[in-house]
Amino acid sequence: MKNQANLRPGGLDHEFRQCRRVDRPWSEYPLGTKALALMGGHWLRVERGWKWQPNGGTFPAPGGDAFNVVLPKQEAQEPAASA
């Protein structure tokens, strides 16, 4: 039986449904992006590079087993009304 925390919105299952393949250089991803490691765990994009979660170091790029990313939620911006 799956852990109930994984089934709720925002849980692991939700994140995996929103992941996508890496499609640009690591340095071009926005802060807050998660790079999912193949064997579990993830890297988080921070100001100084990519930090292994939860207590790892910060490096210029995630490890070689990171093939998928989950982008941070972007707030929808309303286009300015033209006068």
Side-chain angles (χ1 to χ4, degrees), residues 14-35:
H14 179 71
E15 279 192 0
F16 283 117
R17 283 195 301 269
Q18 293 192 0
C19 75
R20 59 179 71 181
R21 296 293 268 177
V22 172
D23 60 359
R24 57 188 123 167
W26 290 114
S27 60
E28 293 181 11
Y29 282 98
L31 297 179
T33 299
K34 291 181 183 179

Side-chain angles (χ1 to χ4, degrees), residues 56-76:
T58 302
F59 297 89
D65 67 341
F67 297 105
N68 295 309
V69 294
V70 177
L71 297 175
K73 291 182 180 177
Q74 301 293 325
E75 292 184 30

Side-chain angles (χ1 to χ4, degrees), residues 13 15 41 46 51 61 66 79:
D13 286 347
E15 279 192 0
V46 295
K51 181 172 174 40

